[in-house]
Amino acid sequence: MINRYGMVPLAFALFIFVIFFTTLVPSTHKTCIDSNMAILDTLDPEKYSDEEINILGKSIGTGCKQDHSFKLTANK
């Protein structure tokens, strides 16, 4: 097949397979961020100041990489 059609169709098929496979497997980091965003949206503004909510919002991405419990610190 490679001798007849060359490497381009094989490379294209491999590229499509990789994209298809990566979309099937859910990312734990994205799941963590989505979960923490939902928690952040439901935080009580009377209990937490705007500055605390802002700090928690900024720590969502880095917190998911460092802490493997995947929870915001406000809920502990």
Side-chain angles (χ1 to χ4, degrees):
M1 182 174 156
I2 293 174
N3 290 337
R4 185 173 181 185
Y5 298 110
M7 290 294 287
V8 175
L10 184 62
F12 181 72
L14 182 64
F15 180 74
I16 296 298
F17 175 75
V18 167
I19 289 176
F20 177 72
F21 183 74
T22 55
T23 57
L24 286 178
V25 178
S27 168
T28 56
H29 185 71
K30 180 167 180 351
T31 305
C32 169
I33 289 176
D34 291 343
S35 169
N36 286 343
M37 286 299 293
I39 293 169
L40 192 63
D41 289 339
T42 60
L43 285 179
D44 187 11
E46 293 179 10
K47 187 175 179 183
Y48 298 99
S49 69
D50 289 339
E51 183 177 332
E52 288 175 318
I53 292 174
N54 190 10
I55 290 170
L56 285 172
K58 289 179 181 177
S59 70
I60 284 177
T62 56
C64 287
K65 287 182 181 178
Q66 295 169 356
D67 181 18
H68 294 289
S69 68
F70 301 128
K71 299 291 181 196
L72 278 175
T73 56
N75 292 333
K76 290 183 179 178

